[in-house]
Amino acid sequence: MNDASSFRLRLRIDSRELCAAFLCCFCFIAADDGLVNEEVKRTVDLSTHLAKITAEILLSNQGDSAVHSFILAVESDLAPHLAYIGVKGDEEEDGMLELKQTAIQGQSGEFYKVQLPSSLGAGAKLRVKVETVFSHVLRPFPTHITQAERQLVVFQGNHYLFSPYPTRSQTTRVRLASKTVETYTKLGNPSKSDDAIEYGPFRDVAPFSEDTMKVHYENNTPFLTISSITRTIEVSHWGNIAVEETIDLRHTGAFLKGPFSRYDYQRQSDSGISSVKSFKTILPASAQDVYYRDEIGNISTSHLQVLEDSVEVEVRPRFPLFGGWKTHYIIGYNLPSYEYLYTLGDQYALKMRLVDHVYDDQVIDSLTVKLILPEGARNIHVETPYPIDRVPDQLHYTYLDTFGRPVLVASKTNLVEQHIQDIVVHYTFNKILMLQEPLLVVGAFYILFFTVIIYVRLDFSITKDPAAEVRMKVASITEQVLTLVNKRLGLYRHMDEVVNRYKQSRDAGALNSGRKTLEADHRTLTNDISSLQARLKAEGSDLADKVGEVQKLDGQVKELVCRSCQEAERLVAGKVKKEAYIENEKNLASKRLDLVTRIDSLLDTL
Amino acid sequence: MAEHHTVTDGKHKASPNAGGSLHGNSRPNVASGGGGKGGLSGGLAQPAGWQSLLSFTILFLAWLAGFSSRLFAVIRFESIIHEFDPWFNYRSTHHLTTNGFYEFLNWFDERSWYPLGRIVGGTVYPGLMVTAGLIHYVLNLLHLTVHIRDVCVFLAPVFSGLTSISTFLLTRELWNQGAGLLAACFIAIVPGYISRSVAGSFDNEGIAIFALQFTYYLWVKSIKTGSVFWSIGCCLSYFYMVSAWGGYVFIINLIPLHVFVLLLMQRYSRRVYIAYSTFYIVGLVLSMQIPFVGFQPIRTSEHMAAAGVFALLQAYAFLQYLKNRLTKQEFQTLFFLGVALAAGVVFLTVIYLTYTGELWTVSYAKIHIPIIASVSEHQPTTWVSFFFDLHILVCTFPAGLWFCIKNVNDERVFVALYAISAVYFAGVMVRLMLTLTPVVCMLSAIAFSSVFEHYLGDDMKRENPPVEDSSDEDDKRNSGNLYDKAGKVRKHVSEQEKAEEGLGPNIKSIVTMLMLMLLMMFAVHCTWVTSNAYSSPSVVLASYNHDGTRNILDDFREAYYWLRQNTDEHARVMSWWDYGYQIAGMANRTTLVDNNTWNNSHIALVGKAMSSNESAAYEIMRSLDVDYVLIIFGGVIGYSGDDINKFLWMVRIAEGEHPKDIRESDYFTPQGEFRVDKAGSPVLLSCLMYKMSYYRFGEMQLDFRTPPGFDRTRNAEIGNKDIKFKHLEEAFTSEHWLVRIYKVKKLDNREPLDHKLRSIVPRPKYTSKKV
């Protein structure tokens, strides 16, 4: 029996998906197995808005041969509401057993064939734990209540374990949400303690026996249902995974009848006791930049608490949710990708929760998951923990995309907390493609600047204005003239320095070479200016005359410079006295200044 | 681009400048400097390059400063559409982006003005929506997945940058580059403009001021150049303005006024003729393309001035033409004949129009007076708000105006007229402060710039031409000058100091310091006003506790979202018209009246329902198919803008249409007071609005010092605490009671008896206790 522990099969099954596929696969008579439920302990937990029925079964094989599987059955009334079914061996370390939907001729209901990890020999016994969760089976009755009233619900189930095998002994314990119970069926004189009802033990129950158990009791737990949730996971290889959940929420308890009075709601603590003010959503510990909003902006009534192993958002809808009221919101956050994205060369694997926690004991009527992979991801392969419907892939375009990101879309209905499991997506991605986006930006800016450069440099006007053109030409020539004239004036200053140095060092060679360079430079500059002057004249500008005048003045300056040079030579040679030289020099300098000023003023008018 | 402009400018420099005083032109440095050399001197090696880089940087910083100072609301709250009208604009933009342009133009909105509906495409200025939609479209085309809400929220701050650039251009045309840059900086942060263009304030004015300034810039440009190119540009900009805001009427009156004054001042020239003729004809045709405007430009009185000036200009030009062809005698005869004929025609037209009642369409205003008067932004402006919105600029702009008038030329006539008319309008209505703000910025910038030119720095003297030079001539030449001179000055071998102008350096620096202090205080004031007065979304309220923490009162959205989620999709919500756009935008439900107050009688009917007693109101509400009634009640938190405080306007508007049923005097005490406590008039205490506001409020004790039912807004204990409803029931009240929604009950299946059922008391049986 304990051999089962050596097998770690953790495959579970869900009620609806396999229905069609396996409905007609196996048809056989149950009693043939010779299996018997020795002892059954059922717990019907009705303390929330879900019905969680667990049964601990001691199976014994009283047939002749070993069996490899057994059958689980769900009543036909409850079967459509079955959200989750799972079987476990009784040992702690036992994994989940494999389930397969099947059918039994002549019997209504849903049947699951459980594959045993090892065969069960004749006379051997096995303890298993069957867990089932049903959604929307607690019916509010009355269906409409006022704000002051409490919510009463009815549950209809089976006193016995619905099983294809005979049951030797069985107890059923019903856990309720409160002490207040209106009525309950009294099969076998059950005992009722605070918030629990104990049925049984029932002895020797025949296979497929059904007896309606009905409990009508007070249940003020929030009857919240997520009527639809769209979970978008956008993976970026730049280190971020963005998750966004769009949630439609509805209070599926008893409808609110009559007015909603804020006064009563604020003053009396038990007013609107079944309404939902807020609930907690647990996000992954590394969640950042959490936002909580709807179509008209942030929902300012929420709080965020960062805990050690999770981030807790206190989600408070804009208004309290009463029976029948609904709301809609978006919650989103960013995750660092290193926690969820694994890579080996070009191979990537993303391991994330297919659906995450929204509130405790959540019921999701319809889930759509959109997985947006990076642009260029190929060979996509998905591993889901339970069967899920795949819709054809889509393309998604966002910032800097060119050919679109692949989007995997999948959907599933009727999910509960037990479905919070990981999905694994394998894909390959060429790392070179990471460069595409930065290059795109660089290219765009390059083109922009280039266009501006081109535009500024070229003349795009469709008319030619000869006058303006001439003016511009003249302008450019005068510009050149100005530069040249200034350079020439600079030469003189340079010469002055040479002369001064000569006066100190008395090195005639240096002076001569300086004079020579001056002459040469001066000649070239003057020639240049003359040619420019000629061009100005050719353009017909009156500025040519002014340039001519500058040239004339410059000639005089040149002469003065030469004279001061000669004077210096004479001084050095001792041909003149120092006083006379200084007098002379002053004279020359003032003349030069006068000339330069005139040149300046001429240049000003250019 | 620079060459391009200079080339165009240079061309017109040759044409004789009519009427302008030309003394400055004779100065050789100006004459030769205007040769258009500026364009060639590019690159950072030259001062011109530095200058353009500096201008570019300053403009960019002005844009940035303007943009960021408008983000207070986004940072403090969130990226949300503000107030009332923006919600409609947002809703329309949303419609435009989801359904396309033609669907938007043909949009019949059956969700407003129930049961009448509203032809939205034909009753809005679509410029705003189209602009936002276009930006959104382009961004999405580039795969920048921006939500349309964010485009709408940030549109006005982005456009404020464009406004400052166009203000720069306009001021540069009027004065010089320095003044332009100052003006750009002023308009970027001046509260008078920020009040209408903070992030989230998605309203027509946000983009219209840009269009206004740009149109004026192009107009000044076209009047200076006389080129058809600039005139057409002006028309296109005008077209954009028409599509964006009803304030285009300001343009279409100011430009003709400018032309008219130019004619009076003997400043007529061919340039004026070309500019205005092109502008009027093309602008007219373009403006008529907007469905909302339609044939108004040729029908209504506010457009007639433009037509009149157009005719006058043609006549004037014709006379000028004839003057050259005819002898003086012939000309005089013809002139008198023409004048007599024209006078006769005008006289007959006026008689005809008065007879048909087309000319003086005051009847419209007469009907709407209570509604128009009930809007706070239509009140006359107080002196305080001039200073509040413009601060130091309001004191300095007359100086700028004086500078302009002193050195008058064609375009300065324009800015003077702009200033004078805008001051007048701003005095009439708070809202029109907006049109005053740009011109105040420009003129103040001119004033500051002149002062700085005078007082700031000696070394700048040679670079900047003295004011006299720049003032009398086309300014484009000045900008050219700036470049040229700057280019040359560097090369002077011997720098010469000019003589001081009789002002000591101490005085200069003191004045400069004072000016800079003023500007600094202005910047501080602007930021303070923006942060405190103009950055509240008004959809979300915030209160601060003693320890500085903030409470967000999100009641409006709470209630609107409740309506959106938990009522029938076609439910009709009755509320006062203020909340119509918000209900349509946030709750997505049908409203009876909204902020587009086009149908006074419908509003009056709602006002009547609110001010009648419950059973009379029920009749009205049933006839209007009302499912829910929404009111705003501030008594719990002390919010003063609630419906009880607006109630008298409802009564007045209702009285205007239904004088028999509603009388304003009934709602006052005999002493003529409006009171909600026990002394209040009984009509008030039993009217629907009062009952809805205070339903179950009488039981509520807010704190221990006040009695139950104490209204914090009006500081009174309410007079009617026992409020029962027969036809309504409370459907929703928000957390702080700010919004209360009532459901209008359907008629009962059976008529309830108005008396109690007769109950038969069983007689006690007397049984004998005989044994």
Side-chain angles (χ1 to χ4, degrees), chain A residues 148-171:
Chain A
E149 283 172 338
R150 284 148 184 282
Q151 182 170 267
L152 299 172
V153 296
V154 176
F155 173 72
Q156 249 178 331
N158 190 355
H159 282 117
Y160 305 121
L161 174 74
F162 191 63
S163 170
Y165 313 115
T167 307
R168 297 265 181 266
S169 152
Q170 186 208 331
T171 57

PDB file of all heavy atoms in Angstrom, chain A residues 148-171:
ATOM      1  N   ALA A 148     -30.420  45.598   6.092  1.00  0.00           N
ATOM      2  CA  ALA A 148     -30.325  45.213   7.495  1.00  0.00           C
ATOM      3  C   ALA A 148     -30.335  43.704   7.674  1.00  0.00           C
ATOM      4  O   ALA A 148     -29.914  43.201   8.711  1.00  0.00           O
ATOM      5  CB  ALA A 148     -31.477  45.844   8.266  1.00  0.00           C
ATOM      6  N   GLU A 149     -30.814  42.979   6.672  1.00  0.00           N
ATOM      7  CA  GLU A 149     -30.982  41.542   6.853  1.00  0.00           C
ATOM      8  C   GLU A 149     -29.678  40.800   6.670  1.00  0.00           C
ATOM      9  O   GLU A 149     -28.742  41.285   6.049  1.00  0.00           O
ATOM     10  CB  GLU A 149     -32.014  41.018   5.840  1.00  0.00           C
ATOM     11  CG  GLU A 149     -33.426  41.344   6.245  1.00  0.00           C
ATOM     12  CD  GLU A 149     -34.423  40.992   5.159  1.00  0.00           C
ATOM     13  OE1 GLU A 149     -34.040  40.889   3.976  1.00  0.00           O
ATOM     14  OE2 GLU A 149     -35.588  40.815   5.490  1.00  0.00           O
ATOM     15  N   ARG A 150     -29.706  39.582   7.214  1.00  0.00           N
ATOM     16  CA  ARG A 150     -28.551  38.725   7.067  1.00  0.00           C
ATOM     17  C   ARG A 150     -28.786  37.782   5.903  1.00  0.00           C
ATOM     18  O   ARG A 150     -29.900  37.510   5.518  1.00  0.00           O
ATOM     19  CB  ARG A 150     -28.346  37.921   8.358  1.00  0.00           C
ATOM     20  CG  ARG A 150     -27.749  38.787   9.414  1.00  0.00           C
ATOM     21  CD  ARG A 150     -28.195  38.423  10.791  1.00  0.00           C
ATOM     22  NE  ARG A 150     -27.628  39.401  11.712  1.00  0.00           N
ATOM     23  CZ  ARG A 150     -26.352  39.356  12.103  1.00  0.00           C
ATOM     24  NH1 ARG A 150     -25.566  38.384  11.724  1.00  0.00           N
ATOM     25  NH2 ARG A 150     -25.877  40.281  12.882  1.00  0.00           N
ATOM     26  N   GLN A 151     -27.689  37.248   5.418  1.00  0.00           N
ATOM     27  CA  GLN A 151     -27.804  36.433   4.206  1.00  0.00           C
ATOM     28  C   GLN A 151     -27.963  34.960   4.582  1.00  0.00           C
ATOM     29  O   GLN A 151     -27.157  34.414   5.332  1.00  0.00           O
ATOM     30  CB  GLN A 151     -26.546  36.642   3.396  1.00  0.00           C
ATOM     31  CG  GLN A 151     -26.519  35.898   2.085  1.00  0.00           C
ATOM     32  CD  GLN A 151     -25.349  36.366   1.253  1.00  0.00           C
ATOM     33  OE1 GLN A 151     -25.470  37.263   0.433  1.00  0.00           O
ATOM     34  NE2 GLN A 151     -24.196  35.784   1.478  1.00  0.00           N
ATOM     35  N   LEU A 152     -28.992  34.349   4.061  1.00  0.00           N
ATOM     36  CA  LEU A 152     -29.219  32.924   4.308  1.00  0.00           C
ATOM     37  C   LEU A 152     -29.008  32.175   3.004  1.00  0.00           C
ATOM     38  O   LEU A 152     -29.405  32.656   1.932  1.00  0.00           O
ATOM     39  CB  LEU A 152     -30.641  32.695   4.808  1.00  0.00           C
ATOM     40  CG  LEU A 152     -31.001  33.385   6.127  1.00  0.00           C
ATOM     41  CD1 LEU A 152     -32.484  33.238   6.413  1.00  0.00           C
ATOM     42  CD2 LEU A 152     -30.205  32.779   7.264  1.00  0.00           C
ATOM     43  N   VAL A 153     -28.390  31.026   3.109  1.00  0.00           N
ATOM     44  CA  VAL A 153     -28.162  30.254   1.896  1.00  0.00           C
ATOM     45  C   VAL A 153     -28.588  28.804   2.111  1.00  0.00           C
ATOM     46  O   VAL A 153     -28.684  28.315   3.237  1.00  0.00           O
ATOM     47  CB  VAL A 153     -26.683  30.274   1.461  1.00  0.00           C
ATOM     48  CG1 VAL A 153     -26.248  31.656   1.089  1.00  0.00           C
ATOM     49  CG2 VAL A 153     -25.794  29.699   2.538  1.00  0.00           C
ATOM     50  N   VAL A 154     -28.825  28.162   0.998  1.00  0.00           N
ATOM     51  CA  VAL A 154     -29.237  26.764   1.021  1.00  0.00           C
ATOM     52  C   VAL A 154     -28.180  25.940   0.310  1.00  0.00           C
ATOM     53  O   VAL A 154     -27.693  26.330  -0.758  1.00  0.00           O
ATOM     54  CB  VAL A 154     -30.588  26.594   0.287  1.00  0.00           C
ATOM     55  CG1 VAL A 154     -30.968  25.123   0.226  1.00  0.00           C
ATOM     56  CG2 VAL A 154     -31.660  27.371   0.971  1.00  0.00           C
ATOM     57  N   PHE A 155     -27.834  24.824   0.914  1.00  0.00           N
ATOM     58  CA  PHE A 155     -26.959  23.889   0.207  1.00  0.00           C
ATOM     59  C   PHE A 155     -27.702  22.574   0.050  1.00  0.00           C
ATOM     60  O   PHE A 155     -28.308  22.059   0.990  1.00  0.00           O
ATOM     61  CB  PHE A 155     -25.673  23.659   0.976  1.00  0.00           C
ATOM     62  CG  PHE A 155     -24.805  22.583   0.371  1.00  0.00           C
ATOM     63  CD1 PHE A 155     -24.135  22.825  -0.810  1.00  0.00           C
ATOM     64  CD2 PHE A 155     -24.700  21.330   0.954  1.00  0.00           C
ATOM     65  CE1 PHE A 155     -23.358  21.833  -1.386  1.00  0.00           C
ATOM     66  CE2 PHE A 155     -23.920  20.343   0.376  1.00  0.00           C
ATOM     67  CZ  PHE A 155     -23.247  20.596  -0.797  1.00  0.00           C
ATOM     68  N   GLN A 156     -27.642  22.012  -1.150  1.00  0.00           N
ATOM     69  CA  GLN A 156     -28.262  20.730  -1.411  1.00  0.00           C
ATOM     70  C   GLN A 156     -27.201  19.754  -1.845  1.00  0.00           C
ATOM     71  O   GLN A 156     -26.513  19.979  -2.845  1.00  0.00           O
ATOM     72  CB  GLN A 156     -29.318  20.885  -2.496  1.00  0.00           C
ATOM     73  CG  GLN A 156     -30.697  20.705  -1.940  1.00  0.00           C
ATOM     74  CD  GLN A 156     -31.769  20.887  -2.967  1.00  0.00           C
ATOM     75  OE1 GLN A 156     -31.590  21.629  -3.917  1.00  0.00           O
ATOM     76  NE2 GLN A 156     -32.874  20.181  -2.791  1.00  0.00           N
ATOM     77  N   GLY A 157     -27.047  18.690  -1.111  1.00  0.00           N
ATOM     78  CA  GLY A 157     -26.026  17.719  -1.474  1.00  0.00           C
ATOM     79  C   GLY A 157     -26.500  16.303  -1.176  1.00  0.00           C
ATOM     80  O   GLY A 157     -27.691  16.025  -1.221  1.00  0.00           O
ATOM     81  N   ASN A 158     -25.562  15.463  -0.869  1.00  0.00           N
ATOM     82  CA  ASN A 158     -25.855  14.053  -0.664  1.00  0.00           C
ATOM     83  C   ASN A 158     -25.377  13.663   0.728  1.00  0.00           C
ATOM     84  O   ASN A 158     -24.294  14.032   1.152  1.00  0.00           O
ATOM     85  CB  ASN A 158     -25.088  13.253  -1.744  1.00  0.00           C
ATOM     86  CG  ASN A 158     -25.515  11.822  -1.779  1.00  0.00           C
ATOM     87  OD1 ASN A 158     -26.316  11.382  -0.954  1.00  0.00           O
ATOM     88  ND2 ASN A 158     -24.981  11.078  -2.749  1.00  0.00           N
ATOM     89  N   HIS A 159     -26.228  12.936   1.420  1.00  0.00           N
ATOM     90  CA  HIS A 159     -25.794  12.464   2.730  1.00  0.00           C
ATOM     91  C   HIS A 159     -24.668  11.455   2.618  1.00  0.00           C
ATOM     92  O   HIS A 159     -23.810  11.368   3.471  1.00  0.00           O
ATOM     93  CB  HIS A 159     -26.962  11.791   3.461  1.00  0.00           C
ATOM     94  CG  HIS A 159     -27.911  12.774   4.050  1.00  0.00           C
ATOM     95  ND1 HIS A 159     -29.223  12.874   3.657  1.00  0.00           N
ATOM     96  CD2 HIS A 159     -27.742  13.711   5.004  1.00  0.00           C
ATOM     97  CE1 HIS A 159     -29.815  13.826   4.340  1.00  0.00           C
ATOM     98  NE2 HIS A 159     -28.938  14.349   5.167  1.00  0.00           N
ATOM     99  N   TYR A 160     -24.737  10.652   1.584  1.00  0.00           N
ATOM    100  CA  TYR A 160     -23.805   9.542   1.439  1.00  0.00           C
ATOM    101  C   TYR A 160     -22.694   9.915   0.482  1.00  0.00           C
ATOM    102  O   TYR A 160     -22.798  10.856  -0.297  1.00  0.00           O
ATOM    103  CB  TYR A 160     -24.533   8.311   0.888  1.00  0.00           C
ATOM    104  CG  TYR A 160     -25.726   7.917   1.701  1.00  0.00           C
ATOM    105  CD1 TYR A 160     -26.984   7.871   1.131  1.00  0.00           C
ATOM    106  CD2 TYR A 160     -25.587   7.582   3.045  1.00  0.00           C
ATOM    107  CE1 TYR A 160     -28.077   7.512   1.875  1.00  0.00           C
ATOM    108  CE2 TYR A 160     -26.683   7.224   3.796  1.00  0.00           C
ATOM    109  CZ  TYR A 160     -27.935   7.182   3.212  1.00  0.00           C
ATOM    110  OH  TYR A 160     -29.020   6.841   3.954  1.00  0.00           O
ATOM    111  N   LEU A 161     -21.675   9.154   0.546  1.00  0.00           N
ATOM    112  CA  LEU A 161     -20.631   9.284  -0.463  1.00  0.00           C
ATOM    113  C   LEU A 161     -21.147   8.663  -1.742  1.00  0.00           C
ATOM    114  O   LEU A 161     -21.600   7.517  -1.757  1.00  0.00           O
ATOM    115  CB  LEU A 161     -19.370   8.550  -0.012  1.00  0.00           C
ATOM    116  CG  LEU A 161     -18.254   8.494  -1.054  1.00  0.00           C
ATOM    117  CD1 LEU A 161     -17.596   9.850  -1.187  1.00  0.00           C
ATOM    118  CD2 LEU A 161     -17.235   7.442  -0.705  1.00  0.00           C
ATOM    119  N   PHE A 162     -21.123   9.445  -2.810  1.00  0.00           N
ATOM    120  CA  PHE A 162     -21.583   8.933  -4.095  1.00  0.00           C
ATOM    121  C   PHE A 162     -20.438   8.122  -4.676  1.00  0.00           C
ATOM    122  O   PHE A 162     -19.393   8.668  -5.037  1.00  0.00           O
ATOM    123  CB  PHE A 162     -21.948  10.096  -5.001  1.00  0.00           C
ATOM    124  CG  PHE A 162     -22.672   9.693  -6.255  1.00  0.00           C
ATOM    125  CD1 PHE A 162     -23.934   9.083  -6.183  1.00  0.00           C
ATOM    126  CD2 PHE A 162     -22.102   9.903  -7.499  1.00  0.00           C
ATOM    127  CE1 PHE A 162     -24.600   8.733  -7.340  1.00  0.00           C
ATOM    128  CE2 PHE A 162     -22.778   9.540  -8.643  1.00  0.00           C
ATOM    129  CZ  PHE A 162     -24.021   8.959  -8.574  1.00  0.00           C
ATOM    130  N   SER A 163     -20.649   6.810  -4.755  1.00  0.00           N
ATOM    131  CA  SER A 163     -19.533   5.949  -5.122  1.00  0.00           C
ATOM    132  C   SER A 163     -20.060   4.721  -5.842  1.00  0.00           C
ATOM    133  O   SER A 163     -21.160   4.234  -5.543  1.00  0.00           O
ATOM    134  CB  SER A 163     -18.775   5.540  -3.854  1.00  0.00           C
ATOM    135  OG  SER A 163     -17.848   4.540  -4.165  1.00  0.00           O
ATOM    136  N   PRO A 164     -19.291   4.224  -6.784  1.00  0.00           N
ATOM    137  CA  PRO A 164     -19.728   2.994  -7.459  1.00  0.00           C
ATOM    138  C   PRO A 164     -19.513   1.746  -6.603  1.00  0.00           C
ATOM    139  O   PRO A 164     -19.844   0.642  -7.035  1.00  0.00           O
ATOM    140  CB  PRO A 164     -18.864   2.962  -8.712  1.00  0.00           C
ATOM    141  CG  PRO A 164     -17.686   3.782  -8.395  1.00  0.00           C
ATOM    142  CD  PRO A 164     -18.072   4.762  -7.379  1.00  0.00           C
ATOM    143  N   TYR A 165     -18.937   1.924  -5.445  1.00  0.00           N
ATOM    144  CA  TYR A 165     -18.656   0.767  -4.592  1.00  0.00           C
ATOM    145  C   TYR A 165     -19.542   0.808  -3.360  1.00  0.00           C
ATOM    146  O   TYR A 165     -19.921   1.894  -2.905  1.00  0.00           O
ATOM    147  CB  TYR A 165     -17.184   0.769  -4.152  1.00  0.00           C
ATOM    148  CG  TYR A 165     -16.222   1.020  -5.275  1.00  0.00           C
ATOM    149  CD1 TYR A 165     -15.438   2.150  -5.303  1.00  0.00           C
ATOM    150  CD2 TYR A 165     -16.135   0.105  -6.344  1.00  0.00           C
ATOM    151  CE1 TYR A 165     -14.570   2.389  -6.347  1.00  0.00           C
ATOM    152  CE2 TYR A 165     -15.266   0.346  -7.384  1.00  0.00           C
ATOM    153  CZ  TYR A 165     -14.482   1.485  -7.392  1.00  0.00           C
ATOM    154  OH  TYR A 165     -13.646   1.715  -8.418  1.00  0.00           O
ATOM    155  N   PRO A 166     -19.825  -0.329  -2.813  1.00  0.00           N
ATOM    156  CA  PRO A 166     -20.597  -0.334  -1.559  1.00  0.00           C
ATOM    157  C   PRO A 166     -19.735   0.231  -0.427  1.00  0.00           C
ATOM    158  O   PRO A 166     -18.513   0.122  -0.456  1.00  0.00           O
ATOM    159  CB  PRO A 166     -20.904  -1.810  -1.331  1.00  0.00           C
ATOM    160  CG  PRO A 166     -19.906  -2.548  -2.149  1.00  0.00           C
ATOM    161  CD  PRO A 166     -19.539  -1.698  -3.293  1.00  0.00           C
ATOM    162  N   THR A 167     -20.400   0.885   0.518  1.00  0.00           N
ATOM    163  CA  THR A 167     -19.690   1.502   1.631  1.00  0.00           C
ATOM    164  C   THR A 167     -20.064   0.791   2.924  1.00  0.00           C
ATOM    165  O   THR A 167     -21.236   0.576   3.209  1.00  0.00           O
ATOM    166  CB  THR A 167     -20.053   2.990   1.733  1.00  0.00           C
ATOM    167  OG1 THR A 167     -19.824   3.585   0.465  1.00  0.00           O
ATOM    168  CG2 THR A 167     -19.252   3.686   2.803  1.00  0.00           C
ATOM    169  N   ARG A 168     -19.081   0.401   3.674  1.00  0.00           N
ATOM    170  CA  ARG A 168     -19.356  -0.314   4.924  1.00  0.00           C
ATOM    171  C   ARG A 168     -19.779   0.665   6.011  1.00  0.00           C
ATOM    172  O   ARG A 168     -20.740   0.464   6.711  1.00  0.00           O
ATOM    173  CB  ARG A 168     -18.094  -1.064   5.371  1.00  0.00           C
ATOM    174  CG  ARG A 168     -17.652  -2.127   4.395  1.00  0.00           C
ATOM    175  CD  ARG A 168     -18.183  -3.488   4.783  1.00  0.00           C
ATOM    176  NE  ARG A 168     -17.724  -4.480   3.835  1.00  0.00           N
ATOM    177  CZ  ARG A 168     -18.435  -4.866   2.765  1.00  0.00           C
ATOM    178  NH1 ARG A 168     -19.629  -4.367   2.527  1.00  0.00           N
ATOM    179  NH2 ARG A 168     -17.943  -5.772   1.942  1.00  0.00           N
ATOM    180  N   SER A 169     -18.983   1.749   6.130  1.00  0.00           N
ATOM    181  CA  SER A 169     -19.273   2.661   7.237  1.00  0.00           C
ATOM    182  C   SER A 169     -18.932   4.080   6.790  1.00  0.00           C
ATOM    183  O   SER A 169     -17.908   4.301   6.126  1.00  0.00           O
ATOM    184  CB  SER A 169     -18.431   2.270   8.452  1.00  0.00           C
ATOM    185  OG  SER A 169     -18.178   3.388   9.245  1.00  0.00           O
ATOM    186  N   GLN A 170     -19.778   5.013   7.170  1.00  0.00           N
ATOM    187  CA  GLN A 170     -19.539   6.380   6.685  1.00  0.00           C
ATOM    188  C   GLN A 170     -20.020   7.398   7.693  1.00  0.00           C
ATOM    189  O   GLN A 170     -21.074   7.237   8.315  1.00  0.00           O
ATOM    190  CB  GLN A 170     -20.276   6.588   5.364  1.00  0.00           C
ATOM    191  CG  GLN A 170     -19.954   7.920   4.734  1.00  0.00           C
ATOM    192  CD  GLN A 170     -21.077   8.445   3.869  1.00  0.00           C
ATOM    193  OE1 GLN A 170     -21.841   7.643   3.311  1.00  0.00           O
ATOM    194  NE2 GLN A 170     -21.184   9.742   3.782  1.00  0.00           N
ATOM    195  N   THR A 171     -19.243   8.475   7.871  1.00  0.00           N
ATOM    196  CA  THR A 171     -19.726   9.625   8.639  1.00  0.00           C
ATOM    197  C   THR A 171     -19.639  10.852   7.751  1.00  0.00           C
ATOM    198  O   THR A 171     -18.777  10.945   6.875  1.00  0.00           O
ATOM    199  CB  THR A 171     -18.867   9.881   9.890  1.00  0.00           C
ATOM    200  OG1 THR A 171     -17.512  10.058   9.481  1.00  0.00           O
ATOM    201  CG2 THR A 171     -18.959   8.741  10.873  1.00  0.00           C
TER     202      THR A 171
END
